[in-house]
Amino acid sequence: MSQEKIRFKNSNNGIEMSAYLDLPENFDKSQKYPAIVVTHPGGGVKEQTAGIYGRKFSEHGFVAIVTDASYQGESGGEPRQLENPYIRTEDISAVIDHLTTLPFVDNERIGAFGICAGGGYTVNAAINDKRIKAVGTVSAVNIGHMISKGWLGDQDMKDAVGSLQFGAQARTQEANGSDIVQMPMAPMREEDTPYTDLKEAWEYYHTDRAQCSTSPGYGTARSLTQLVTYDAFNMAEIFLTQPLKVIAGSVAESKWMSDDLMERAASEDKSMYIVEGANHMKLYDIPKYVDEAVSQAAPFFQKNVAELEPVEA
């Protein structure tokens, strides 16, 4: 296996994207390979969990591309750390646009895989973009519902009106010359949350476990004016028709979002795999849990992407 760091122009917004392209063993550029687009969590970057999964998929014969989102990581765009869910979703289709220009990628054999909010964005992209032949998620988060319903899914959505107001106020302040108003994408301190998953998110993003200079842990508060009302699974019951593999930890407090995805997806071929003993964050980088997740995801993509019959022109 080998890895190349690449840059390409985002076909949606013109931003220069930074990505890792993971190539399978004995890669031959004269051949055509199946590919998987791997999408990182909200607030994450390609050097963290998404990069781990990208390398794992290349070990199973796929070309894997792991991209920093527009406005984040080493990709371009201002304001920095914008987390607009519609742009995040469109980024996935822009990555596929780029893949179709690579002569060694088979355009008819492209899958998509996402972690946390990246899982929600991946689902939303697949609802709209049928070039995605199969969809996989791990610790999936529907980021709009996470904000409006809370981490446990037990809050009244009407209570999120305050978040909309905060986002709107941030936009006004910035339009009138203030610095970018920030909000945490994961707890900035361990004591900032009562939830086990999110305490571990603090550890993941803010200690040596996975801290990265391009992943500062905050987003733009203006993003709330899109995030609060966003439903990553919108119309999944009609248009999410591709094969679907949902992977979640048995003790993940976020599992209700994976359950919701399974219930709503129209896919005739859909299944959930539960990793016993794992919570939300342990599926990011703890080897035994990641390896178990890949042991399910890789054969799924092998069957539903790699083994697809060629389509006649």
Side-chain angles (χ1 to χ4, degrees):
M1 286 69 66
S2 64
Q3 184 181 81
E4 297 179 4
K5 193 172 185 179
I6 64 171
R7 301 188 73 85
F8 61 93
K9 186 175 181 179
N10 186 309
S11 57
N12 291 314
N13 53 28
I15 285 173
E16 188 174 53
M17 307 295 286
S18 177
Y20 287 133
L21 195 65
D22 291 290
L23 303 172
E25 190 172 10
N26 299 319
F27 174 74
D28 180 351
K29 64 181 180 181
S30 69
Q31 302 298 311
K32 285 191 175 292
Y33 292 85
I36 299 178
V37 179
V38 182
T39 301
H40 65 67
V45 290
K46 64 186 182 300
E47 287 78 11
Q48 296 167 330
T49 179
I52 293 172
Y53 280 96
R55 289 190 295 275
K56 294 287 186 181
F57 287 132
S58 71
E59 292 171 3
H60 288 270
F62 293 90
V63 168
I65 186 167
V66 186
T67 310
D68 284 332
S70 297
Y71 307 97
Q72 299 177 26
E74 294 180 318
S75 292
E78 297 286 344
R80 299 307 298 165
Q81 301 310 124
L82 185 73
E83 185 75 18
N84 183 311
Y86 302 99
I87 293 173
R88 289 290 313 267
T89 297
E90 277 295 310
D91 276 353
I92 295 169
S93 287
V95 173
I96 295 172
D97 291 345
H98 177 68
L99 285 178
T100 66
T101 71
L102 303 179
F104 51 83
V105 170
D106 186 337
N107 296 346
E108 299 299 328
R109 295 191 294 161
I110 296 175
F113 181 86
I115 306 101
C116 189
Y121 297 139
T122 295
V123 168
N124 203 181
I127 288 169
N128 299 303
D129 192 336
K130 297 307 175 187
R131 295 176 298 179
I132 297 172
K133 303 305 182 187
V135 180
T137 68
V138 67
S139 296
V141 161
N142 182 344
I143 193 168
H145 285 189
M146 181 199 78
I147 294 171
S148 62
K149 294 184 177 183
W151 186 249
L152 302 182
D154 58 355
Q155 296 178 19
D156 188 335
M157 294 179 78
K158 293 179 181 177
D159 292 341
V161 170
S163 295
L164 285 171
Q165 293 171 334
F166 179 58
Q169 290 166 359
R171 294 180 70 119
T172 296
Q173 289 174 232
E174 292 166 12
N176 285 273
S178 84
D179 292 336
I180 297 298
V181 181
Q182 300 175 359
M183 65 175 185
M185 293 299 292
M188 301 301 286
R189 302 175 304 167
E190 186 177 11
E191 61 268 27
D192 285 345
T193 178
Y195 305 123
T196 301
D197 284 346
L198 297 184
K199 285 184 184 297
E200 195 167 344
W202 164 81
E203 177 192 337
Y204 183 83
Y205 286 109
H206 300 297
T207 74
D208 289 342
R209 175 172 168 184
Q211 190 172 30
C212 186
S213 62
T214 56
S215 175
Y218 67 83
T220 58
R222 67 182 290 125
S223 302
L224 289 167
T225 59
Q226 288 84 37
L227 285 167
V228 172
T229 58
Y230 176 75
D231 177 8
F233 309 154
N234 182 47
M235 303 193 81
E237 63 275 10
I238 301 172
F239 297 119
L240 183 57
T241 55
Q242 298 96 318
L244 173 67
K245 173 66 74 173
V246 177
I247 301 169
S250 64
V251 293
E253 295 163 327
S254 60
K255 180 177 171 292
W256 63 273
M257 287 178 274
S258 291
D259 293 334
D260 184 43
L261 172 58
M262 282 295 296
E263 182 177 347
R264 294 171 66 180
S267 310
E268 293 184 2
D269 178 359
K270 60 181 177 180
S271 62
M272 178 185 281
Y273 181 80
I274 302 299
V275 181
E276 291 299 327
N279 65 3
H280 185 91
M281 302 300 302
K282 286 180 170 55
L283 282 162
Y284 278 35
D285 65 331
I286 303 301
K288 73 171 185 176
Y289 298 122
V290 170
D291 288 346
E292 187 171 346
V294 173
S295 77
Q296 298 298 310
F300 166 78
F301 283 117
Q302 195 71 39
K303 174 186 175 183
N304 293 292
V305 176
E307 295 176 6
L308 289 177
E309 293 294 329
V311 176
E312 295 295 333

